[in-house]
Each structure stands twice: as C-alpha cells, then as structure tokens.
C-alpha cells in the first residue's frame, strides 16, 4: 500500500484577488484649469507675478515666492526631454508593452517639467534634450485628465542645448 496521492493538490502558494479603491479627487481652482485645458486639447499653466516662472500644472501659488499664481498661460504642444527612464520590468496591471520610455518633459515656455510617455522611437535612441510633441486623443475622446494625451513623440528639430534645461533635471 502506498501513501502517494498524486492527484491531491499541493499547498496554496498564491492567490489572485481583485482589489480596488474608489476615491474622489478635488483638484481645486488651479488644477481644475489645467484639467479643463486638457479637455480642450491644450496645456494650461499659470505664471508667478513675482518671479515670472510658469507652472504647469499649477498648484495655485508659487513655491518660491508664496504668492498666488493668477495669470493663466497656454503652453506649447512641444517640449524638451530633460531626463527619462526605460521601463523593462513587467508589473501587474501593466497596460503598455515593454520596453517603453517615461520622460520628464519641459514644455516650451514652462518652468516645471512633468512625466509623459514617449512613443514612436526605439528605446535606444532616446536622449536628454530631445524635442518632442504631445499626441492627443481624438477630439471626441478628450476628457479633463492626462488620458487626453496619448503620448509624446519626437519632432524633427535639433536637440535643445543642455544649458536651456539643466535646471529642470
Ligand atoms: Zn515666483
């Protein structure tokens, strides 16, 4: 007689359990303007009346001068890659095929960079200073969220001079 129970399941080592968290985000006046801009297919920022820096998205005040940023500024659709990373590691919930590039992008006229997905370029050709433009979703798909920007892609321009973006790394 044998104790072998070849059909018996082994110990449970992993359990996939769907989990979610619903929350409401209240953006406030300044970020609402940014989000409404995305809904119209444009980047809206705000300028500090003291130092003149343009923040996009704006938090409603200048962190340097501590004053409200009340002047609305429409930014260019084109910017510069200040720094980047190539994502090679798969993770749960990943919606983009690896490898892909996440880049910090400084829009022309802005003094604050933000993160964007970069596409239409092999990952071994990305470089600091590369000029890129936003590719938006179709007009009827625009929403007040960054999902309105599908990704950024290179434009046929010479790379930006390091001196022009070195303060935004
Ligand atoms: Zn300022």
């Amino acid at each position: 007689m044998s104790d072998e129970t070849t059909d018996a399941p082994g110990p449970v080592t992993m359990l996939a359990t769907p989990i979610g968290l619903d929350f409401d985000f209240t953006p406030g006046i300044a970020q609402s303007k940014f989000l409404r801009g995305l809904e119209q297919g444009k980047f809206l920022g705000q300028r500090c009346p003291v130092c003149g820096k343009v923040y996009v998205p704006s938090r409603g005040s200048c962190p340097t001068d501590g004053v409200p940023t009340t002047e609305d500024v429409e930014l260019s659709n084109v910017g510069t890659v200040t720094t980047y990373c190539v994502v090679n590691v798969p993770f749960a919930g990943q919606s983009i095929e690896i490898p892909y590039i996440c880049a910090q992008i400084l829009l022309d006229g802005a003094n604050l960079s933000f993160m964007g997905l970069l596409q239409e370029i092999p990952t071994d050709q990305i470089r600091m200073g590369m000029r890129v433009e936003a590719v938006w979703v179709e007009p009827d798909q625009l929403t007040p969220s960054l999902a309105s920007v599908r990704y950024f892609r290179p434009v046929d321009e010479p790379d930006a001079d390091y001196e022009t973006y070195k303060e935004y790394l």
Side-chain angles (χ1 to χ4, degrees):
M1 194 169 160
S2 171
D3 288 337
E4 277 187 36
T5 52
T6 54
D7 293 335
V12 175
T13 58
M14 183 177 290
L15 183 66
T17 306
I19 190 168
L21 180 63
D22 293 324
F23 59 91
D24 294 322
F25 171 67
T26 304
I29 295 172
Q31 288 191 71
S32 288
K33 288 183 177 179
F34 173 72
L35 295 169
R36 290 298 176 199
L38 295 175
E39 193 175 31
Q40 299 166 47
K42 56 190 177 185
F43 296 110
L44 294 181
Q46 290 190 316
R47 188 189 320 274
C48 171
V50 177
C51 67
K53 287 183 177 175
V54 174
Y55 299 103
V56 58
S58 173
R59 302 286 187 204
S61 63
C62 177
T64 303
D65 299 297
V67 298
T69 50
T70 53
E71 181 189 348
D72 297 330
V73 179
E74 183 175 343
L75 279 304
S76 171
N77 199 52
V78 177
T80 298
V81 171
T82 60
T83 184
Y84 63 89
C85 82
V86 177
V87 179
N88 288 296
V89 181
F91 55 87
Q94 199 164 44
S95 59
I96 306 164
E97 190 176 329
I98 56 171
Y100 62 89
I101 305 165
C102 279
Q104 283 296 125
I105 295 162
L106 182 67
L107 294 174
D108 291 359
N111 296 97
L112 183 68
S113 65
F114 62 89
M115 185 175 287
L117 173 68
L118 207 59
Q119 300 271 272
E120 297 189 29
I121 178 175
T123 54
D124 62 354
Q125 292 182 25
I126 179 66
R127 56 194 181 273
M128 294 168 69
M130 176 175 277
R131 301 282 290 153
V132 295
E133 66 178 356
V135 177
W136 297 80
V137 297
E138 294 301 318
D140 64 347
Q141 297 176 338
L142 289 167
T143 60
S145 84
L146 277 170
S148 290
V149 181
R150 291 178 60 208
Y151 54 81
F152 286 81
R153 67 182 174 198
V155 292
D156 188 20
E157 290 182 20
D159 288 359
D161 187 337
Y162 178 70
E163 293 296 316
T164 65
Y165 64 87
K166 69 178 183 182
E167 295 177 27
Y168 304 99
L169 301 179

